[in-house]
Structure formats: structure tokens, C-alpha cells
Amino acid sequence: MNSIKAQARELDQADPLAHKKSEFYLPEGVIYLDGNSLGALPHSARVRAKDVVDAQWGDGLITSWNQHGWIDLPHRVGSKLGKLLGAADGQLVCCDSISVNLFKLLSAALKMRPERHVIATTAENFPTDIYIAEGLIEQLGGKHELRLLEEQNLCEALTDDIAVLMITQVNFRTGLKQDMEAVTRLAHEKGILVIWDLAHSAGAFPVRLDASEADFAVGCTYKYLNGGPGAPAFVYVASRHQAEYIQPLSGWMGHAEPFAFSPHYRPAQGIRQNLSGTPGVIGMSILDAALEVFEDVPLTALREKSLALMRFFENCLEAHDIAGYLTPCYPEEQHRGSQLAFRHPDAYAICQAWIADGVIGDFRAPDILRIGFAPLYLSYADIEQAVSRLAAILNEQRYQDPVFQQKLHVT
Amino acid sequence: MNSIKAQARELDQADPLAHKKSEFYLPEGVIYLDGNSLGALPHSARVRAKDVVDAQWGDGLITSWNQHGWIDLPHRVGSKLGKLLGAADGQLVCCDSISVNLFKLLSAALKMRPERHVIATTAENFPTDIYIAEGLIEQLGGKHELRLLEEQNLCEALTDDIAVLMITQVNFRTGLKQDMEAVTRLAHEKGILVIWDLAHSAGAFPVRLDASEADFAVGCTYKYLNGGPGAPAFVYVASRHQAEYIQPLSGWMGHAEPFAFSPHYRPAQGIRQNLSGTPGVIGMSILDAALEVFEDVPLTALREKSLALMRFFENCLEAHDIAGYLTPCYPEEQHRGSQLAFRHPDAYAICQAWIADGVIGDFRAPDILRIGFAPLYLSYADIEQAVSRLAAILNEQRYQDPVFQQKLHVT
């Protein structure tokens, strides 16, 4: 036990990202292992929130659309996101939610493959992705098929009747990470367009959209990107597709000349066509500031620390002698996102007991304890302390207390 | 001149809503006549912005979805909006943008009138409404027609081949206000469903959605409702339509059981089906607090003050002897929203010169000076002062200075 604490100390001392923790506000006494649901609050975001409300809105009023560049905010944020996601400028823009953006991309992709009638995704995908495909198919009159592929046999299942493959890079339950480059290449060999959902990728490890020859992508910004609850999402359309791309949510912000108020829609050239209504300036400004914490972070170092934190978590389970209580359901290291998942029949109650003891993890139905590793604000000492408290809960069977049964909703 | 100033003083002294001005932050020396583009900052919104970021996000982290009721926020805000819009609970929810919500409503309405193929709107409608209809028609394969009706002959043009009439209650240029009850009744006589866009109505005067037997409505919350730049929009679906209603942006938040993560979409009963992705919690919380300023405001008093402010503005133009410079293009009093519009060949430059002199009005292409009257934070003295400064600009032809030519983008 003492030796594992000493190990944590040594690892923290050698951690090249250790200084980033001070850029976040974390509540006293809380160890936060749910940054993959909602990232912690960066100080830069807190400062900007005050500025955008008090100074930009309060003092600047309508003139801030120009004076504080609100009108270009979706592009400025898109450009910052591009640096984290390996996308050259002009291919990413910040807008709407993942769900709404998927609707745009799926609609556009089907138009680009008019002779094909299958949308493929994995059965294990995050439900909203599947639901949006269902909604679109219903709207288009039912002439398309939604095909659910098995994650394990993904590559074999890519056949040339599929118009578009919509796939989340990291499984939200198990943390299994797909090889973006390999899957995209195989899909392209069959003439399939690929939409990547980067919800659990963005800000968790390096993503190489352009290098992987990705067609389309969406993602949210409130997880590893720390943009705040319900922060706006993003959408990526590779340059080579933009001339042909047409999406149906043709709102005025995506018009070639939004302020000409012309009576017919003419899409903007390039990625801006994806803007629909007026952007949510306050939330997007806070996100813009939150992204500043990444400016001096080498993404390879981020990935290394993420993997090291997960390895250390496993070591702590051994050191505290509780590995036997939990059934790991996550992949080998090279196939991991930045989370671990364990099955336990009482996973829900364990999660609640852990929260009561100051460690916020997450539960995913039916029986998964999900642990997120946000490398920018977690220390190795945090991990050791979290496992130590988990050991007490498991050894004393504290989770059997009925108080830990009441259901929470978390995203 | 002195007598008009004295009149302003008397009107302010007798104003039953005069005390509301102190609930807003307004920058020193600025008279704000653009609350119909972006409402001013309520102190309640400023306080909540700090609370939702620092305490709810920062301290509460993921647990705030329950502890601070983020999960029900779209409904709580919807319910507050319902009180301002004459809608019983369960018919309004806060989400997305007007553009995205119109897409939902138009899609659903067309499904409810499968034998009809015309979407009708006014040629004078706000462009995003028209664009969204165009995008939907394109997506559905072009078998529908978008028919642009003339505002003046609206009622005669309602024929029984129209599936849905989409109409903005107050014209964004002229301020012409449609009679919701009469138009809805005439449309229903022809079997037409009606979607009302309340962008320039909500918070400007009493709206009676239920009493008018409205079918559907959308609106934004950053104008007279003071929700902040890009604050989320709302959508109304009358109870009697909810069982039949199905919209295509079927994201997880509109699922009957969002946290069951089931692999097929099953729409929630009632208005909640309109939620798609994760709500923008920060912006929506700020809006929630901003709506508190309406709690003690009788909407009839709001309307009376709005009309009185506009009458007083006209009186001030006469008193300052500048009425002849400007061509009114707004309707008679009973058909007005809460704005006035004047044509002038140099409207743009006049607007810029006025801004330079501390009075923020608005310009709408090609030649309209648009003046918004937000009754909660404008005094009669403000109006007199604004017109006095306008008189100087017009009399001295100050607007001819080239510095006032550079184009701004404003919403």
C-alpha cells in the first residue's frame, strides 16, 4: 500500500502535464473520474463566461456581433478544434448538437450515393446516432435500410451496397477505440462514405482526420474538451466533398450572404453551409476559452499520460487487492480510448457509494462501472486515492446500503 | 422642445412599469432601441450566469444534471414561456434554434397532410423561415411546392391545396402584426395547419396561442425576452396534435426513455419529443433567469407601454420638426408589433451616426431604419433624448460623413 502511494508520488513528479491541473477549478475533496461525461471547469472558461455576459452582452449589446467577433465565432472555434483533430482550416465548424449535425451529414451523404440505400452503423453505437438515422429514414419514406453491424466483425461487414457508415470511434461503454485510418480505407475500397462520431475522442488523444482521409465527422465538446454542460458540437466535412455537399437544415447563417436577406437560399461555399440558426454565443464563447488549455499540450503527451493513468489504475486495483471483485470489459491498451469499464452486478450502487465518498465515476446500464481518465486534471495520487476508497466500499460491501439504489440520470 | 421634455417626465412618472428598468444593466450613456435584435442584460441573468458556471458546473460537475435540475430545464423554461404566450403546460419546450425547430414542425405538418403538397408562407417572411422550407422540399425530393403569398392578400390566398402555412406574426422589417386568431381560423376553414413564428412577438405583447387555436409555433428568446446572444429557441405543439406528431430530428433527449440506451427510437409522449441532442445548459439557464423579470409584469400593461412609447416617438419627431425627413413604413397602431420602421435613402449611415452618438437603433436592407421599443427598460425620457440626437444628425446632415458607411452585420 505504501509502495503504491510512493509510486503515485514518483509518477506525479515526472509528469510533464502535471502543471495543467492548476488551470482547472476542481471542488475541494472531490476526485473526478467522469470527465468523459462532463469535463471540469477551466479557469479560462470561468473568466470568459463573465466577460461574454457582463462586458460583451451587457456593455456591447448588439454591436458585439462585430466588435467581439460573435459572427465568426463558429469558425474560430472550428479552427481551434481542427488543430486538435488533425484537420486543416475550413473543414470544421462549431454548431448545434451531435444529433442535429448527424442529421445534416447523413442527409448529405445519402445524396452523394443515390444508387445505394443502406446506412450502416454498429449495434453498439451511442443510441442518439442510431435514433437520428432512424428518424431520417422514416422521413425519407422508408426506402433506406439501417443496418446494425457487429463491432467485432466490422471490417468483414463492409459491403458495396452501403452508402454511408456512421461509427463512433470510441465505444461509450467499453472504451474500444476503432482504427480510423484502417476502417476508413476499407470503407473507401467499397465506395462507402464514413461519418466518424468523435464524442469520446476529441481532447482525449490525437485524432488525424485529414491523414485518415475521413469524409465526415461530428463530436461534442463537453467531455474531454471541457466546454461546459451542453456546449455546442462540431461538424467536419472534408474539403474534397464540400462542392458536392448539400445539407437540408438550410438556415440563414449557412447562406452565402446571410445579411442580404435574399428570398432564396443559396448555400455558402465551404464548411459554413452547416451553420443553420443563430449560434449560441455564450456557450460557444465559453468553449472557445476552454480550448485555450490545450494550446501548450502536445497531444502525444496527452495520450501517453492517459494510457499511463489507466495502467496505474490497474496496478492500484492489484495493490489494494480488489481486482477480483470487478470484471474488466475493456480492450488491450493500444485499442483503448481514455476510459476503463468494469462489470459488477451492483455497479450502480458501487458508483453511488463511491460518489458519496468523494469519487465521481459513472454507471452505464445495465452493469457497467465506467471510469474516465482526463489527463489534464487527474494526478496519479488521485487515482491511488480513488482506488483506495473503492477498496473500502467493496471490502465492507458498503454498496449494499439501500440509500445507494436511487437512480440518477447522467449523460 | 421644453414641453416635449416635460411630457416625457410626466409620462415616466405615471408609468406603472418604470421600476422594471432597474432590473437591467444598461451601459452608461447608451439609449438602446435595438431590443428587438438583442435584448439588454437583466441582472438576474448576470447572477445566474455566474452561478451556473461557478457553482453548478464547477462544484456540482456531472451531478448537477440532477441536483440542479438540468435535465428538466427545457421544460421549466418551456413552462415559463407558456405563461407569456398563452399556452397551457406541456405544449412548449425550449431547444435548438428557430431554424432547426421550423424544420421539425414543417416535416411533421407535411406528414399530417399527406394528400397536400404546398407549403405557404409570405414573401415578406424572415429569410431563414423560407430557406428552411426550401431545404426540406429539396430533401423530400421536390414533390412539394413553396408558395410565397403576399402579406396584404394573405387571407384570400389561403386555398385548400395548402398543407401548412408558416407565418411570422410580426414582419421583421415593417413591424406589421398579423391577427393570430383570425388567420388561424381562416386557415383551419381550408384544412391548413399553421406554424407561427413568434420571434418579434414573444415578450413584446400578449400572445394567445391556445385561445387562437394555434397548431404550432416557434420563436427565439434573445429579443424581447432578453435571454442573451443566441439564446435557445422554443417550439410549441398544441396538445391535440401531439399524438399524431412525429418529427425527424429524433435525438436521444426526445426518446421515451433516454437513459435506457435502447437500440431503437421510441418518441416521448408529448412535447418532449422535440428535444433532440443534449441541451445547451449554460445558455438555457441564463434564459431561465432572464424570464424572471416578467414575473410581475401584466402583459396588457406591457402592450400599453409599448404602444405609448411608439406614439411618443412620433410626437417627438413632430416636436423636433424632423418628421418630414423620414418616410414611415409601418402600420396603424392596432396592427403594430413593438417597432417602427422608416425609409430613408441614407438609412444605413443615419443608423451608424446615431450609434456614434450613443443611440443604438438598427438598419435593415435596403433602406430601413428600424427602431425597437422594449417596454421594460425604455423610458419616455430615453425616447425624447434619442429623437433629439436624431434631429441633430438629420439637420446637420452628419450622416454624410464617409466614416458611417462601413457595413456592420447585425441580427
Side-chain angles (χ1 to χ4, degrees):
Chain A
M1 298 274 217
N2 281 336
S3 83
I4 194 80
K5 274 189 200 295
Q7 248 184 69
R9 252 193 316 273
E10 278 166 35
L11 286 164
D12 280 325
Q13 276 159 10
D15 176 10
L17 295 178
H19 64 289
K20 298 304 290 183
K21 191 181 179 104
S22 67
E23 296 180 26
F24 290 83
Y25 172 80
L26 292 160
E28 191 68 33
V30 168
I31 296 169
Y32 193 54
L33 304 179
D34 205 7
N36 52 334
S37 273
L38 173 65
L41 168 62
H43 294 303
S44 57
R46 197 171 43 76
V47 170
R48 178 74 70 87
K50 186 170 160 53
D51 183 62
V52 70
V53 172
D54 294 4
Q56 298 187 22
W57 175 16
D59 282 310
L61 292 161
I62 193 69
T63 68
S64 290
W65 279 100
N66 295 292
Q67 283 181 25
H68 290 102
W70 292 349
I71 197 72
D72 299 317
L73 191 55
H75 297 282
R76 285 206 306 281
V77 173
S79 178
K80 281 189 184 179
L81 290 167
K83 288 182 182 58
L84 296 174
L85 300 172
D89 267 3
Q91 302 177 103
L92 265 163
V93 75
C94 182
C95 55
D96 298 315
S97 62
I98 284 187
S99 303
V100 169
N101 288 333
L102 278 174
F103 191 87
K104 297 174 193 166
L105 291 179
L106 283 169
S107 299
L110 288 183
K111 274 196 187 292
M112 291 166 67
R113 291 286 180 276
E115 73 290 353
R116 299 186 182 197
H117 295 88
V118 178
I119 296 174
T121 189
T122 58
E124 298 84 355
N125 203 347
F126 188 75
T128 209
D129 300 38
I130 297 175
Y131 301 162
I132 286 289
E134 289 180 319
L136 176 64
I137 288 172
E138 156 94 12
Q139 194 203 27
L140 295 178
K143 62 181 181 286
H144 294 83
E145 175 198 340
L146 177 61
R147 189 175 297 164
L148 299 182
L149 314 179
E150 280 179 38
E151 208 170 57
Q152 288 101 319
N153 306 316
L154 183 61
C155 294
E156 294 75 24
L158 297 178
T159 49
D160 63 10
D161 58 342
I162 297 171
V164 53
L165 171 67
M166 168 181 67
I167 182 167
T168 299
Q169 193 186 9
V170 177
N171 181 304
F172 78 107
R173 289 190 184 91
T174 64
L176 176 69
K177 174 172 168 276
Q178 298 288 340
D179 181 332
M180 181 180 284
E181 200 168 336
V183 172
T184 302
R185 191 175 54 241
L186 282 168
H188 285 179
E189 283 170 11
K190 304 286 181 180
I192 302 168
L193 294 164
V194 187
I195 300 173
W196 287 98
D197 180 339
L198 303 176
H200 291 268
S201 307
F205 51 78
V207 174
R208 289 156 36 94
L209 282 169
D210 288 351
S212 304
E213 298 193 17
D215 300 296
F216 307 110
V218 296
C220 71
T221 63
Y222 48 76
K223 297 179 184 289
Y224 296 99
L225 295 173
N226 315 302
F234 60 83
V235 60
Y236 165 89
V237 178
S239 294
R240 67 183 179 282
H241 292 313
Q242 291 180 2
E244 199 187 346
Y245 179 89
I246 184 85
Q247 66 89 6
L249 292 164
S250 45
W252 72 313
M253 286 288 167
H255 193 280
E257 291 182 279
F259 294 94
F261 297 112
S262 83
H264 290 292
Y265 185 70
R266 188 162 51 87
Q269 293 291 304
I271 193 69
R272 188 159 69 76
Q273 188 201 128
N274 286 286
L275 299 186
S276 186
T278 304
V281 168
I282 296 177
M284 207 177 289
S285 294
I286 292 171
L287 165 63
D288 181 52
L291 293 174
E292 290 171 10
V293 302
F294 283 93
E295 273 169 17
D296 64 347
V297 174
L299 294 180
T300 47
L302 188 81
R303 176 65 170 166
E304 277 164 25
K305 182 170 174 189
S306 155
L307 295 176
L309 285 168
M310 290 189 276
R311 274 196 302 273
F312 187 64
F313 187 92
E314 292 175 304
N315 294 343
C316 289
L317 290 181
E318 295 292 339
H320 285 281
D321 204 21
I322 55 168
Y325 286 120
L326 300 162
T327 309
C329 53
Y330 52 84
E332 287 171 56
E333 187 164 293
Q334 71 270 33
H335 301 299
R336 282 179 203 165
S338 195
Q339 65 172 72
L340 296 177
F342 297 88
R343 287 191 196 282
H344 188 289
D346 288 300
Y348 180 78
I350 291 169
C351 185
Q352 294 304 104
W354 216 10
I355 290 173
D357 212 13
V359 182
I360 302 179
D362 202 357
F363 165 78
R364 278 296 171 257
D367 59 355
I368 288 178
L369 183 65
R370 189 177 78 162
I371 298 154
F373 296 83
L376 295 184
Y377 50 81
L378 281 176
S379 67
Y380 296 89
D382 288 335
I383 301 299
E384 194 284 325
Q385 191 51 235
V387 176
S388 164
R389 294 188 202 169
L390 181 61
I393 289 163
L394 292 171
N395 287 324
E396 299 162 19
Q397 299 196 14
R398 227 187 287 158
Y399 55 87
Q400 298 204 343
D401 189 324
V403 81
F404 298 131
Q405 303 297 323
Q406 202 200 329
K407 289 280 173 186
L408 277 176
H409 298 304
V410 284
T411 61
Chain B
M1 299 274 219
N2 281 335
S3 83
I4 194 80
K5 275 189 200 293
Q7 249 184 68
R9 253 195 315 274
E10 278 166 34
L11 286 163
D12 280 325
Q13 275 160 13
D15 175 9
L17 295 179
H19 64 289
K20 300 302 292 182
K21 192 181 178 101
S22 67
E23 296 180 26
F24 289 83
Y25 172 80
L26 291 159
E28 192 68 32
V30 168
I31 297 171
Y32 194 55
L33 304 179
D34 205 8
N36 53 334
S37 272
L38 173 65
L41 169 63
H43 295 304
S44 57
R46 199 172 40 79
V47 170
R48 179 74 69 85
K50 187 170 157 53
D51 184 62
V52 70
V53 172
D54 294 4
Q56 297 187 23
W57 174 15
D59 281 312
L61 291 161
I62 193 69
T63 67
S64 290
W65 279 101
N66 295 290
Q67 282 181 23
H68 290 102
W70 291 349
I71 197 73
D72 298 319
L73 191 56
H75 298 283
R76 285 205 307 281
V77 173
S79 177
K80 282 189 183 178
L81 291 167
K83 288 182 180 61
L84 296 174
L85 300 172
D89 268 1
Q91 301 177 103
L92 265 164
V93 75
C94 182
C95 54
D96 297 316
S97 62
I98 284 188
S99 304
V100 170
N101 288 333
L102 278 174
F103 190 87
K104 297 173 193 167
L105 291 179
L106 283 170
S107 299
L110 288 183
K111 273 195 187 293
M112 291 166 69
R113 291 287 181 275
E115 73 291 352
R116 299 186 181 197
H117 294 89
V118 178
I119 296 174
T121 191
T122 57
E124 298 84 357
N125 203 347
F126 188 75
T128 210
D129 299 40
I130 297 175
Y131 301 162
I132 285 289
E134 289 181 317
L136 176 63
I137 288 172
E138 155 94 12
Q139 195 202 28
L140 295 178
K143 61 182 181 288
H144 294 83
E145 175 198 339
L146 177 62
R147 190 175 295 166
L148 298 182
L149 313 179
E150 280 179 37
E151 210 171 56
Q152 289 101 318
N153 306 316
L154 184 63
C155 293
E156 295 74 24
L158 297 178
T159 48
D160 63 10
D161 57 341
I162 297 172
V164 53
L165 169 68
M166 168 179 68
I167 184 167
T168 298
Q169 192 185 12
V170 177
N171 181 304
F172 78 108
R173 288 190 184 91
T174 65
L176 176 69
K177 174 172 168 273
Q178 298 287 342
D179 182 333
M180 181 180 284
E181 200 167 337
V183 173
T184 303
R185 192 175 54 243
L186 282 169
H188 284 179
E189 283 170 10
K190 304 286 182 180
I192 301 168
L193 294 163
V194 188
I195 300 174
W196 288 97
D197 181 339
L198 305 176
H200 290 268
S201 309
F205 51 76
V207 174
R208 292 157 31 96
L209 282 168
D210 288 351
S212 304
E213 299 194 16
D215 300 299
F216 307 110
V218 296
C220 72
T221 62
Y222 48 75
K223 297 177 184 291
Y224 296 99
L225 295 173
N226 315 302
F234 60 83
V235 60
Y236 166 89
V237 177
S239 295
R240 67 183 180 284
H241 293 314
Q242 291 180 2
E244 198 186 345
Y245 179 90
I246 183 87
Q247 66 87 8
L249 292 165
S250 45
W252 71 313
M253 285 286 166
H255 192 279
E257 291 182 280
F259 294 94
F261 297 110
S262 82
H264 290 293
Y265 185 69
R266 187 161 53 85
Q269 293 291 305
I271 192 69
R272 188 159 68 77
Q273 188 202 127
N274 286 287
L275 300 185
S276 186
T278 304
V281 168
I282 295 177
M284 207 179 287
S285 293
I286 291 171
L287 165 62
D288 181 53
L291 293 174
E292 290 171 11
V293 302
F294 283 92
E295 273 170 16
D296 63 348
V297 174
L299 294 181
T300 48
L302 187 82
R303 175 66 171 166
E304 279 165 24
K305 182 169 175 191
S306 155
L307 294 175
L309 286 169
M310 289 188 277
R311 273 195 303 272
F312 188 64
F313 187 92
E314 291 173 305
N315 294 345
C316 290
L317 291 181
E318 295 292 342
H320 285 282
D321 202 20
I322 54 168
Y325 286 120
L326 301 161
T327 309
C329 55
Y330 52 82
E332 287 172 57
E333 186 165 295
Q334 71 269 34
H335 300 299
R336 282 179 203 165
S338 195
Q339 66 173 70
L340 296 177
F342 298 88
R343 288 192 196 283
H344 189 288
D346 287 302
Y348 180 79
I350 291 170
C351 186
Q352 293 305 103
W354 216 10
I355 291 173
D357 212 14
V359 181
I360 302 177
D362 203 356
F363 164 78
R364 278 294 172 258
D367 60 355
I368 289 181
L369 183 65
R370 190 177 77 163
I371 298 155
F373 295 83
L376 295 185
Y377 50 81
L378 280 178
S379 68
Y380 296 89
D382 288 335
I383 301 299
E384 194 284 324
Q385 192 51 234
V387 176
S388 164
R389 295 187 201 172
L390 181 61
I393 289 164
L394 291 171
N395 288 324
E396 300 162 17
Q397 299 197 16
R398 224 187 290 159
Y399 55 86
Q400 297 203 345
D401 188 324
V403 80
F404 299 132
Q405 304 297 323
Q406 202 200 329
K407 291 280 172 185
L408 275 176
H409 296 305
V410 283
T411 61

